[in-house]
Amino acid sequence: MQRYFVKHRANEDRFFIDENDRHHIVKVMRMEIGDQIICVDPDGRQALCKLAEITDERVVADVVQWKEEDSELPISVAIASGLPKGDKLEWIIQKGTELGAHQFIPYTAARSVVKWDDKKAAKKVERWQKIAKEAAEQSHRVMVPEISTPVRLKGLLEKSKEFDYKLVAFEEESRSGETSVFSAVLKKMQPGESLLIVFGPEGGLAAEEVEQLKNNGFGLCGLGPRILRAETAPLYSLAAISYHFELLR
């Protein structure tokens, strides 16, 4: 059953689907009148729908049954990643979306090898947002994570004021055997609260960055005895959060 995030709420139990999603329904999936899909509206409400009309501009889908399922993590988790090399950030966004992240905040770290090109910013963010949308559809989410335009550390610190809890995954804490901070924060958190976790790029975080984060209310945490790659650590954290909030309860 294909799932689509539609741009507008249903009008008298009818969804109107255009642009890329219309193309996917008609040209890729080759659906016909009477075929069924799942539509998710901007409020996260989802409905089983039947295709009622297909034109050159749009697809019309009639609601058959509204569904009450909820596949979202009970807390809101934002992943801040120091810009990594290659397509690693795309991997983090895709798999992080599958694991339940609500937001991704790329930032330029002192040791980021990649230099952010403002001229290509809009296209890059658009691509990342598309990856998140497709991953959210595949994993049966009811919301698409927001992908921020990359910021510098100062901008990240400003954004961090919006969150209830803030952590930094720091490899030196893992090396020293720290195991309690991450777990303690999860135990304190209540459904509906928000958590921002910061991860460094391939070279890790510089000492001055760690100091600035600490001075702005971030707790330093280890993620077990093994040192994880820049693209692995966010996924480890999201899996641990899912286990704590969804499988243990």
Side-chain angles (χ1 to χ4, degrees), residues 3-54:
R3 172 176 297 249
Y4 297 94
F5 287 91
V6 295
K7 297 177 181 177
H8 305 288
R9 298 178 182 88
N11 182 3
E12 296 182 351
D13 277 352
R14 296 199 113 184
F15 284 106
F16 299 92
I17 304 167
D18 55 14
E19 298 180 355
N20 291 337
D21 287 337
R22 178 213 162 270
H23 175 82
H24 189 267
I25 290 169
V26 177
K27 301 296 184 182
V28 179
M29 299 307 299
R30 299 190 179 279
M31 292 188 189
E32 300 176 348
I33 301 296
D35 287 344
Q36 294 187 332
I37 60 173
I38 300 289
C39 289
V40 185
D41 74 9
D43 299 321
R45 299 180 68 213
Q46 51 187 328
L48 174 66
C49 300
K50 182 182 291 187
L51 301 189
E53 183 182 328
I54 298 174

Short mmCIF file of all heavy atoms in Angstrom, two decimals, residues 3-54:
data_model
loop_
_atom_site.label_atom_id
_atom_site.label_comp_id
_atom_site.label_asym_id
_atom_site.label_seq_id
_atom_site.Cartn_x
_atom_site.Cartn_y
_atom_site.Cartn_z
N ARG A 3 2.00 5.10 0.29
CA ARG A 3 1.64 6.17 1.23
C ARG A 3 2.14 7.50 0.67
O ARG A 3 3.26 7.60 0.18
CB ARG A 3 2.29 5.88 2.57
CG ARG A 3 2.20 6.95 3.63
CD ARG A 3 2.81 6.45 4.92
NE ARG A 3 2.06 5.32 5.42
CZ ARG A 3 1.32 5.35 6.53
NH1 ARG A 3 1.24 6.44 7.24
NH2 ARG A 3 0.66 4.29 6.91
N TYR A 4 1.30 8.54 0.76
CA TYR A 4 1.66 9.85 0.23
C TYR A 4 1.33 10.95 1.24
O TYR A 4 0.24 10.96 1.82
CB TYR A 4 0.92 10.12 -1.09
CG TYR A 4 1.28 9.14 -2.18
CD1 TYR A 4 0.50 7.99 -2.39
CD2 TYR A 4 2.40 9.33 -2.97
CE1 TYR A 4 0.85 7.07 -3.36
CE2 TYR A 4 2.76 8.42 -3.96
CZ TYR A 4 1.98 7.29 -4.15
OH TYR A 4 2.34 6.37 -5.12
N PHE A 5 2.29 11.87 1.43
CA PHE A 5 2.05 13.04 2.26
C PHE A 5 1.47 14.13 1.36
O PHE A 5 2.17 14.68 0.51
CB PHE A 5 3.35 13.51 2.90
CG PHE A 5 3.82 12.61 4.01
CD1 PHE A 5 4.70 11.56 3.73
CD2 PHE A 5 3.39 12.79 5.31
CE1 PHE A 5 5.14 10.72 4.73
CE2 PHE A 5 3.82 11.94 6.33
CZ PHE A 5 4.70 10.90 6.04
N VAL A 6 0.20 14.42 1.55
CA VAL A 6 -0.47 15.41 0.69
C VAL A 6 -0.33 16.81 1.27
O VAL A 6 -0.15 16.98 2.48
CB VAL A 6 -1.96 15.05 0.49
CG1 VAL A 6 -2.10 13.74 -0.26
CG2 VAL A 6 -2.69 14.95 1.83
N LYS A 7 -0.37 17.81 0.41
CA LYS A 7 -0.10 19.18 0.83
C LYS A 7 -1.28 19.84 1.54
O LYS A 7 -1.11 20.78 2.32
CB LYS A 7 0.30 20.03 -0.38
CG LYS A 7 1.58 19.56 -1.04
CD LYS A 7 1.87 20.40 -2.26
CE LYS A 7 3.14 19.95 -2.96
NZ LYS A 7 3.38 20.72 -4.20
N HIS A 8 -2.49 19.37 1.23
CA HIS A 8 -3.68 20.03 1.77
C HIS A 8 -4.59 19.03 2.47
O HIS A 8 -4.58 17.84 2.16
CB HIS A 8 -4.45 20.73 0.64
CG HIS A 8 -3.61 21.68 -0.16
ND1 HIS A 8 -3.17 22.89 0.33
CD2 HIS A 8 -3.12 21.58 -1.42
CE1 HIS A 8 -2.44 23.49 -0.59
NE2 HIS A 8 -2.41 22.72 -1.67
N ARG A 9 -5.36 19.53 3.41
CA ARG A 9 -6.34 18.68 4.10
C ARG A 9 -7.42 18.23 3.12
O ARG A 9 -7.63 18.86 2.08
CB ARG A 9 -6.97 19.45 5.27
CG ARG A 9 -5.98 19.88 6.34
CD ARG A 9 -6.67 20.68 7.43
NE ARG A 9 -5.73 21.14 8.44
CZ ARG A 9 -5.06 22.28 8.35
NH1 ARG A 9 -5.24 23.08 7.29
NH2 ARG A 9 -4.20 22.63 9.30
N ALA A 10 -8.11 17.18 3.49
CA ALA A 10 -9.19 16.67 2.63
C ALA A 10 -10.32 17.69 2.54
O ALA A 10 -10.67 18.35 3.53
CB ALA A 10 -9.72 15.35 3.19
N ASN A 11 -10.88 17.82 1.36
CA ASN A 11 -12.04 18.67 1.14
C ASN A 11 -13.25 17.77 0.92
O ASN A 11 -13.35 17.11 -0.11
CB ASN A 11 -11.78 19.58 -0.07
CG ASN A 11 -12.93 20.53 -0.34
OD1 ASN A 11 -13.90 20.58 0.41
ND2 ASN A 11 -12.82 21.30 -1.41
N GLU A 12 -14.14 17.73 1.91
CA GLU A 12 -15.30 16.84 1.87
C GLU A 12 -14.86 15.40 1.58
O GLU A 12 -15.39 14.74 0.69
CB GLU A 12 -16.32 17.33 0.83
CG GLU A 12 -16.91 18.69 1.18
CD GLU A 12 -17.96 19.15 0.18
OE1 GLU A 12 -18.09 18.49 -0.87
OE2 GLU A 12 -18.63 20.15 0.45
N ASP A 13 -13.86 14.95 2.33
CA ASP A 13 -13.32 13.59 2.23
C ASP A 13 -12.73 13.28 0.86
O ASP A 13 -12.76 12.14 0.39
CB ASP A 13 -14.39 12.55 2.61
CG ASP A 13 -14.47 12.35 4.12
OD1 ASP A 13 -13.61 12.89 4.84
OD2 ASP A 13 -15.38 11.65 4.57
N ARG A 14 -12.15 14.30 0.23
CA ARG A 14 -11.45 14.12 -1.05
C ARG A 14 -10.07 14.77 -0.95
O ARG A 14 -9.94 15.91 -0.51
CB ARG A 14 -12.19 14.76 -2.22
CG ARG A 14 -13.54 14.17 -2.54
CD ARG A 14 -13.95 14.54 -3.97
NE ARG A 14 -13.99 13.34 -4.80
CZ ARG A 14 -14.24 13.34 -6.11
NH1 ARG A 14 -14.43 14.47 -6.74
NH2 ARG A 14 -14.26 12.22 -6.76
N PHE A 15 -9.05 14.02 -1.37
CA PHE A 15 -7.70 14.57 -1.45
C PHE A 15 -7.35 14.85 -2.90
O PHE A 15 -7.70 14.07 -3.79
CB PHE A 15 -6.68 13.57 -0.89
CG PHE A 15 -6.68 13.49 0.62
CD1 PHE A 15 -7.22 12.39 1.28
CD2 PHE A 15 -6.11 14.51 1.37
CE1 PHE A 15 -7.20 12.31 2.66
CE2 PHE A 15 -6.09 14.43 2.77
CZ PHE A 15 -6.63 13.34 3.40
N PHE A 16 -6.65 15.95 -3.12
CA PHE A 16 -6.21 16.33 -4.46
C PHE A 16 -4.68 16.28 -4.48
O PHE A 16 -4.01 17.00 -3.73
CB PHE A 16 -6.72 17.72 -4.83
CG PHE A 16 -8.23 17.79 -4.85
CD1 PHE A 16 -8.94 18.17 -3.71
CD2 PHE A 16 -8.94 17.45 -5.99
CE1 PHE A 16 -10.33 18.22 -3.71
CE2 PHE A 16 -10.34 17.50 -6.00
CZ PHE A 16 -11.03 17.88 -4.86
N ILE A 17 -4.14 15.41 -5.33
CA ILE A 17 -2.70 15.13 -5.35
C ILE A 17 -2.13 15.57 -6.68
O ILE A 17 -2.63 15.20 -7.75
CB ILE A 17 -2.46 13.62 -5.14
CG1 ILE A 17 -3.13 13.15 -3.84
CG2 ILE A 17 -0.97 13.30 -5.13
CD1 ILE A 17 -3.22 11.64 -3.71
N ASP A 18 -1.03 16.39 -6.63
CA ASP A 18 -0.45 16.88 -7.88
C ASP A 18 1.07 16.72 -7.86
O ASP A 18 1.65 16.09 -6.98
CB ASP A 18 -0.86 18.35 -8.12
CG ASP A 18 -0.49 19.25 -6.95
OD1 ASP A 18 0.30 18.82 -6.09
OD2 ASP A 18 -0.99 20.40 -6.91
N GLU A 19 1.70 17.27 -8.88
CA GLU A 19 3.15 17.33 -9.02
C GLU A 19 3.81 15.95 -8.89
O GLU A 19 3.39 14.99 -9.52
CB GLU A 19 3.73 18.35 -8.03
CG GLU A 19 3.22 19.77 -8.30
CD GLU A 19 3.76 20.78 -7.33
OE1 GLU A 19 4.47 20.41 -6.37
OE2 GLU A 19 3.47 21.98 -7.52
N ASN A 20 4.88 15.86 -8.08
CA ASN A 20 5.68 14.63 -8.04
C ASN A 20 4.89 13.41 -7.60
O ASN A 20 5.10 12.30 -8.11
CB ASN A 20 6.89 14.82 -7.12
CG ASN A 20 7.90 15.79 -7.69
OD1 ASN A 20 7.95 16.00 -8.90
ND2 ASN A 20 8.71 16.39 -6.83
N ASP A 21 3.98 13.60 -6.64
CA ASP A 21 3.21 12.45 -6.17
C ASP A 21 2.23 11.96 -7.23
O ASP A 21 2.01 10.76 -7.38
CB ASP A 21 2.46 12.80 -4.87
CG ASP A 21 3.40 12.88 -3.68
OD1 ASP A 21 4.48 12.27 -3.74
OD2 ASP A 21 3.06 13.55 -2.69
N ARG A 22 1.67 12.90 -7.98
CA ARG A 22 0.79 12.49 -9.09
C ARG A 22 1.60 11.69 -10.10
O ARG A 22 1.16 10.64 -10.58
CB ARG A 22 0.19 13.72 -9.77
CG ARG A 22 -0.70 13.34 -10.96
CD ARG A 22 -0.64 14.38 -12.06
NE ARG A 22 -1.14 13.79 -13.30
CZ ARG A 22 -0.39 13.16 -14.19
NH1 ARG A 22 0.92 13.03 -14.01
NH2 ARG A 22 -0.93 12.63 -15.28
N HIS A 23 2.81 12.17 -10.42
CA HIS A 23 3.68 11.46 -11.36
C HIS A 23 3.99 10.06 -10.85
O HIS A 23 3.96 9.08 -11.62
CB HIS A 23 4.98 12.24 -11.56
CG HIS A 23 5.98 11.54 -12.42
ND1 HIS A 23 5.94 11.56 -13.80
CD2 HIS A 23 7.04 10.73 -12.09
CE1 HIS A 23 6.93 10.83 -14.28
NE2 HIS A 23 7.61 10.31 -13.27
N HIS A 24 4.29 9.94 -9.56
CA HIS A 24 4.63 8.63 -8.98
C HIS A 24 3.45 7.67 -9.08
O HIS A 24 3.60 6.49 -9.42
CB HIS A 24 5.07 8.79 -7.53
CG HIS A 24 5.64 7.54 -6.94
ND1 HIS A 24 4.87 6.62 -6.25
CD2 HIS A 24 6.91 7.03 -6.96
CE1 HIS A 24 5.64 5.61 -5.87
NE2 HIS A 24 6.87 5.83 -6.29
N ILE A 25 2.25 8.17 -8.76
CA ILE A 25 1.05 7.33 -8.79
C ILE A 25 0.76 6.85 -10.21
O ILE A 25 0.49 5.66 -10.45
CB ILE A 25 -0.17 8.11 -8.23
CG1 ILE A 25 -0.01 8.30 -6.71
CG2 ILE A 25 -1.48 7.38 -8.53
CD1 ILE A 25 -1.02 9.27 -6.12
N VAL A 26 0.85 7.78 -11.16
CA VAL A 26 0.41 7.48 -12.53
C VAL A 26 1.51 6.82 -13.36
O VAL A 26 1.27 5.80 -14.02
CB VAL A 26 -0.08 8.77 -13.23
CG1 VAL A 26 -0.47 8.48 -14.67
CG2 VAL A 26 -1.26 9.37 -12.47
N LYS A 27 2.71 7.37 -13.33
CA LYS A 27 3.78 6.93 -14.23
C LYS A 27 4.64 5.82 -13.64
O LYS A 27 5.07 4.91 -14.37
CB LYS A 27 4.67 8.12 -14.61
CG LYS A 27 3.93 9.26 -15.29
CD LYS A 27 3.35 8.82 -16.63
CE LYS A 27 2.70 10.01 -17.35
NZ LYS A 27 2.08 9.60 -18.64
N VAL A 28 4.91 5.90 -12.32
CA VAL A 28 5.79 4.90 -11.70
C VAL A 28 5.00 3.69 -11.25
O VAL A 28 5.31 2.55 -11.60
CB VAL A 28 6.57 5.51 -10.51
CG1 VAL A 28 7.46 4.46 -9.85
CG2 VAL A 28 7.41 6.70 -10.97
N MET A 29 3.95 3.92 -10.46
CA MET A 29 3.15 2.80 -9.94
C MET A 29 2.07 2.34 -10.93
O MET A 29 1.50 1.26 -10.76
CB MET A 29 2.48 3.22 -8.61
CG MET A 29 3.47 3.59 -7.51
SD MET A 29 4.72 2.31 -7.20
CE MET A 29 3.68 0.93 -6.70
N ARG A 30 1.79 3.17 -11.93
CA ARG A 30 0.78 2.85 -12.97
C ARG A 30 -0.56 2.44 -12.35
O ARG A 30 -1.19 1.46 -12.74
CB ARG A 30 1.30 1.73 -13.89
CG ARG A 30 2.58 2.12 -14.63
CD ARG A 30 2.95 1.13 -15.71
NE ARG A 30 4.15 1.53 -16.41
CZ ARG A 30 4.21 2.43 -17.39
NH1 ARG A 30 3.09 3.01 -17.79
NH2 ARG A 30 5.36 2.75 -17.97
N MET A 31 -0.98 3.23 -11.39
CA MET A 31 -2.27 2.95 -10.74
C MET A 31 -3.43 3.41 -11.62
O MET A 31 -3.27 4.24 -12.51
CB MET A 31 -2.33 3.66 -9.38
CG MET A 31 -1.38 3.11 -8.35
SD MET A 31 -1.68 3.85 -6.72
CE MET A 31 -0.27 3.21 -5.83
N GLU A 32 -4.58 2.84 -11.31
CA GLU A 32 -5.78 3.16 -12.08
C GLU A 32 -6.92 3.51 -11.13
O GLU A 32 -6.82 3.33 -9.91
CB GLU A 32 -6.18 1.94 -12.94
CG GLU A 32 -5.09 1.54 -13.94
CD GLU A 32 -5.47 0.27 -14.71
OE1 GLU A 32 -6.45 -0.39 -14.30
OE2 GLU A 32 -4.79 -0.03 -15.71
N ILE A 33 -8.01 4.00 -11.71
CA ILE A 33 -9.20 4.31 -10.92
C ILE A 33 -9.60 3.07 -10.11
O ILE A 33 -9.64 1.96 -10.63
CB ILE A 33 -10.39 4.73 -11.83
CG1 ILE A 33 -10.02 5.95 -12.68
CG2 ILE A 33 -11.63 5.01 -11.00
CD1 ILE A 33 -9.74 7.20 -11.93
N GLY A 34 -9.86 3.30 -8.81
CA GLY A 34 -10.26 2.19 -7.95
C GLY A 34 -9.13 1.63 -7.10
O GLY A 34 -9.37 0.96 -6.10
N ASP A 35 -7.88 1.90 -7.49
CA ASP A 35 -6.75 1.45 -6.67
C ASP A 35 -6.72 2.23 -5.36
O ASP A 35 -7.20 3.37 -5.29
CB ASP A 35 -5.43 1.64 -7.43
CG ASP A 35 -5.26 0.62 -8.55
OD1 ASP A 35 -5.99 -0.39 -8.54
OD2 ASP A 35 -4.41 0.84 -9.43
N GLN A 36 -6.12 1.63 -4.35
CA GLN A 36 -6.12 2.24 -3.02
C GLN A 36 -4.72 2.71 -2.62
O GLN A 36 -3.71 2.09 -2.96
CB GLN A 36 -6.66 1.26 -1.98
CG GLN A 36 -8.14 0.93 -2.18
CD GLN A 36 -8.71 0.09 -1.04
OE1 GLN A 36 -7.99 -0.65 -0.38
NE2 GLN A 36 -10.01 0.21 -0.80
N ILE A 37 -4.69 3.82 -1.88
CA ILE A 37 -3.46 4.37 -1.33
C ILE A 37 -3.75 4.87 0.08
O ILE A 37 -4.90 4.95 0.51
CB ILE A 37 -2.91 5.55 -2.19
CG1 ILE A 37 -3.94 6.68 -2.24
CG2 ILE A 37 -2.52 5.08 -3.57
CD1 ILE A 37 -3.43 7.94 -2.93
N ILE A 38 -2.68 5.23 0.81
CA ILE A 38 -2.82 5.91 2.09
C ILE A 38 -2.43 7.36 1.90
O ILE A 38 -1.36 7.66 1.35
CB ILE A 38 -1.90 5.29 3.17
CG1 ILE A 38 -2.24 3.81 3.39
CG2 ILE A 38 -2.01 6.07 4.48
CD1 ILE A 38 -3.55 3.56 4.10
N CYS A 39 -3.27 8.28 2.33
CA CYS A 39 -2.96 9.70 2.29
C CYS A 39 -2.75 10.20 3.72
O CYS A 39 -3.54 9.88 4.62
CB CYS A 39 -4.08 10.51 1.64
SG CYS A 39 -4.23 10.26 -0.14
N VAL A 40 -1.69 10.99 3.92
CA VAL A 40 -1.42 11.60 5.22
C VAL A 40 -1.48 13.12 5.03
O VAL A 40 -0.77 13.68 4.20
CB VAL A 40 -0.03 11.20 5.76
CG1 VAL A 40 0.17 11.76 7.17
CG2 VAL A 40 0.13 9.68 5.77
N ASP A 41 -2.36 13.79 5.79
CA ASP A 41 -2.54 15.23 5.61
C ASP A 41 -1.52 16.02 6.44
O ASP A 41 -0.75 15.44 7.21
CB ASP A 41 -3.99 15.63 5.89
CG ASP A 41 -4.36 15.64 7.37
OD1 ASP A 41 -3.46 15.50 8.23
OD2 ASP A 41 -5.55 15.81 7.68
N PRO A 42 -1.49 17.36 6.30
CA PRO A 42 -0.48 18.17 7.01
C PRO A 42 -0.59 18.08 8.54
O PRO A 42 0.36 18.44 9.24
CB PRO A 42 -0.78 19.59 6.52
CG PRO A 42 -1.41 19.41 5.18
CD PRO A 42 -2.24 18.17 5.31
N ASP A 43 -1.72 17.62 9.06
CA ASP A 43 -1.89 17.47 10.50
C ASP A 43 -1.47 16.10 11.01
O ASP A 43 -1.59 15.80 12.19
CB ASP A 43 -3.36 17.71 10.89
CG ASP A 43 -3.82 19.12 10.53
OD1 ASP A 43 -3.02 20.06 10.70
OD2 ASP A 43 -4.96 19.28 10.07
N GLY A 44 -1.00 15.24 10.10
CA GLY A 44 -0.60 13.90 10.50
C GLY A 44 -1.74 12.90 10.55
O GLY A 44 -1.56 11.77 10.99
N ARG A 45 -2.93 13.28 10.07
CA ARG A 45 -4.06 12.36 10.00
C ARG A 45 -3.92 11.52 8.73
O ARG A 45 -3.57 12.03 7.68
CB ARG A 45 -5.40 13.10 10.00
CG ARG A 45 -5.66 13.93 11.24
CD ARG A 45 -7.00 14.63 11.14
NE ARG A 45 -8.09 13.68 11.18
CZ ARG A 45 -9.24 13.83 10.53
NH1 ARG A 45 -9.45 14.87 9.74
NH2 ARG A 45 -10.19 12.93 10.64
N GLN A 46 -4.18 10.23 8.85
CA GLN A 46 -4.01 9.35 7.70
C GLN A 46 -5.31 8.63 7.36
O GLN A 46 -6.12 8.33 8.24
CB GLN A 46 -2.88 8.35 7.96
CG GLN A 46 -2.99 7.59 9.26
CD GLN A 46 -1.75 6.75 9.52
OE1 GLN A 46 -1.10 6.26 8.60
NE2 GLN A 46 -1.41 6.58 10.78
N ALA A 47 -5.48 8.37 6.08
CA ALA A 47 -6.72 7.76 5.62
C ALA A 47 -6.45 6.78 4.49
O ALA A 47 -5.59 7.02 3.63
CB ALA A 47 -7.70 8.83 5.14
N LEU A 48 -7.17 5.68 4.52
CA LEU A 48 -7.20 4.76 3.38
C LEU A 48 -8.08 5.40 2.32
O LEU A 48 -9.21 5.81 2.60
CB LEU A 48 -7.79 3.41 3.81
CG LEU A 48 -8.02 2.38 2.70
CD1 LEU A 48 -6.70 1.93 2.10
CD2 LEU A 48 -8.81 1.19 3.24
N CYS A 49 -7.57 5.52 1.09
CA CYS A 49 -8.29 6.22 0.03
C CYS A 49 -8.35 5.38 -1.24
O CYS A 49 -7.51 4.51 -1.48
CB CYS A 49 -7.61 7.55 -0.29
SG CYS A 49 -7.52 8.70 1.09
N LYS A 50 -9.35 5.70 -2.06
CA LYS A 50 -9.51 5.04 -3.35
C LYS A 50 -9.40 6.09 -4.44
O LYS A 50 -10.02 7.17 -4.35
CB LYS A 50 -10.88 4.35 -3.42
CG LYS A 50 -11.13 3.59 -4.71
CD LYS A 50 -12.53 2.99 -4.73
CE LYS A 50 -12.68 1.86 -3.72
NZ LYS A 50 -13.99 1.17 -3.85
N LEU A 51 -8.60 5.79 -5.48
CA LEU A 51 -8.46 6.73 -6.58
C LEU A 51 -9.78 6.88 -7.33
O LEU A 51 -10.37 5.90 -7.76
CB LEU A 51 -7.37 6.27 -7.55
CG LEU A 51 -5.96 6.09 -6.98
CD1 LEU A 51 -4.97 5.84 -8.11
CD2 LEU A 51 -5.54 7.27 -6.14
N ALA A 52 -10.23 8.15 -7.44
CA ALA A 52 -11.53 8.41 -8.06
C ALA A 52 -11.42 9.11 -9.41
O ALA A 52 -12.33 9.03 -10.25
CB ALA A 52 -12.39 9.27 -7.12
N GLU A 53 -10.28 9.80 -9.61
CA GLU A 53 -10.14 10.57 -10.86
C GLU A 53 -8.65 10.77 -11.14
O GLU A 53 -7.86 11.04 -10.24
CB GLU A 53 -10.83 11.93 -10.68
CG GLU A 53 -10.82 12.81 -11.90
CD GLU A 53 -11.49 14.17 -11.61
OE1 GLU A 53 -12.43 14.21 -10.78
OE2 GLU A 53 -11.04 15.16 -12.20
N ILE A 54 -8.27 10.62 -12.41
CA ILE A 54 -6.88 10.84 -12.82
C ILE A 54 -6.88 11.75 -14.05
O ILE A 54 -7.49 11.41 -15.07
CB ILE A 54 -6.17 9.51 -13.15
CG1 ILE A 54 -6.11 8.60 -11.91
CG2 ILE A 54 -4.75 9.78 -13.67
CD1 ILE A 54 -5.56 7.21 -12.18
#
